[in-house]
Amino acid sequence: MDRRALLAVVAAGLSGCVADPPLASADGSNESRNREPPENADPDAQRWISIASTDEIPEEAELEIDAEVVEPNVTPEKTARVEVTTTNRGAARKLSHREEMCSIFNRDRGVSVADGLVLHRPSSAEWMDRVEGKWSPDRPAGEPRGYASYACGQKEYDESASVTSVYDVWDDYRTWGYMRPGTYRFETHVATYPPDAELGDESDVEFTWGLELKVRKP
């Protein structure tokens, strides 16, 4: 079966216009912890991805959320990879995200706020056709985004338990240009629940957490 036909079995999710939006800004406070780009790289074929900043977490949440660029290079053969790890520093309880399909940047939360970059789980990216030599889906810019239709409930975590989500960095096919240099912000909703909470129960603590990635040419 054609891969695009498989992807058609999704719930359509529409985004905003496809005009070139302004990029979000960041202070670059965490950039020094990333390695330097390689020498003699082709600037037309490659990009360099680093973490520009991450949001602080409310103290009452008793959580740690750490982001790391484990593969910073984007080339025609491979793209950058980011890992986000959430650790429970409180007593056993439930959190709003888990592995794979219900991960922290699930579905439309993996699209940068100002559009331009998209975080895809490696398992879902395997089904996407891409533009030759680029990490951009081979789709018309006007084609709506589509997301698989499934429900996400809370998952219980013991004290000090953690979950790591892995994402490949892709260009956003709905914006012009390819991985334009700049800073891109991603935001997601995080909530904690009592260990006996059921779907639909109120959360103990909830907040918005953000990550900013910086793109530059080597």
Side-chain angles (χ1 to χ4, degrees), residues 19 21 37 57 68-70 74 79 94 102-103 105 115 119 126 161 164 182-183 196 213:
I57 300 171
E68 179 183 5
V69 177
V70 295
V74 179
T79 190
K94 292 182 177 179
C102 297
S103 60
F105 287 116
D115 288 358
L119 299 177
E126 291 177 357
T164 298
T183 302
D196 59 350
L213 296 180

Side-chain angles (χ1 to χ4, degrees), residues 30-31 34-35 48-53 69 72 80 211-216:
N30 292 335
E31 187 180 355
N34 296 286
R35 292 167 289 169
W48 175 257
I49 307 294
S50 61
I51 293 176
S53 69
V69 177
L211 159 70
E212 291 185 334
L213 296 180
K214 185 174 183 179
V215 179
R216 51 188 172 135

Side-chain angles (χ1 to χ4, degrees), residues 10-209:
V10 295
L14 298 178
S15 69
C17 64
V18 295
D20 182 34
L23 295 177
S25 61
D27 57 15
S29 57
N30 292 335
E31 187 180 355
S32 61
R33 70 183 181 182
N34 296 286
R35 292 167 289 169
E36 287 302 311
E39 296 181 357
N40 302 320
D42 181 354
D44 294 327
Q46 301 200 15
R47 296 292 185 272
W48 175 257
I49 307 294
S50 61
I51 293 176
S53 69
T54 56
D55 287 0
E56 294 186 1
I57 300 171
E59 186 175 345
E60 63 269 22
E62 296 184 295
L63 291 175
E64 288 182 8
I65 304 179
D66 299 308
E68 179 183 5
V69 177
V70 295
E71 173 51 66
N73 291 308
V74 179
T75 72
E77 292 76 31
K78 64 181 181 180
T79 190
R81 178 161 289 185
V82 178
E83 291 185 356
V84 182
T85 300
T86 303
T87 304
N88 177 27
R89 293 306 182 192
R93 62 215 171 128
K94 292 182 177 179
L95 301 182
S96 57
H97 59 268
R98 56 179 71 198
E99 305 92 342
E100 290 299 316
M101 292 191 298
C102 297
S103 60
I104 189 168
F105 287 116
N106 186 44
R107 289 178 284 206
D108 60 335
R109 295 177 181 179
V111 180
S112 60
V113 173
D115 288 358
L117 289 186
V118 180
L119 299 177
H120 286 296
R121 292 179 295 109
S123 58
S124 64
E126 291 177 357
W127 294 99
M128 291 192 293
D129 294 316
R130 63 187 181 99
V131 177
E132 184 176 359
K134 295 184 177 181
W135 292 91
S136 183
D138 189 10
R139 301 176 187 172
E143 182 177 306
R145 304 186 201 279
Y147 303 105
S149 180
Y150 53 84
C152 289
Q154 306 98 344
K155 179 181 177 180
E156 186 168 353
Y157 290 83
D158 293 331
E159 184 177 358
S160 300
S162 63
V163 57
T164 298
S165 300
V166 181
Y167 301 99
D168 287 341
V169 181
W170 283 64
D171 178 61
D172 185 353
Y173 73 95
R174 290 181 61 92
T175 60
W176 66 266
Y178 178 64
M179 289 193 181
R180 291 169 294 123
T183 302
Y184 298 83
R185 179 173 174 81
F186 299 84
E187 290 183 351
T188 189
H189 177 263
V190 180
T192 68
Y193 300 84
D196 59 350
E198 297 181 355
L199 190 64
D201 287 352
E202 291 188 7
S203 61
D204 290 330
V205 178
E206 56 182 86
F207 59 95
T208 297
W209 185 79

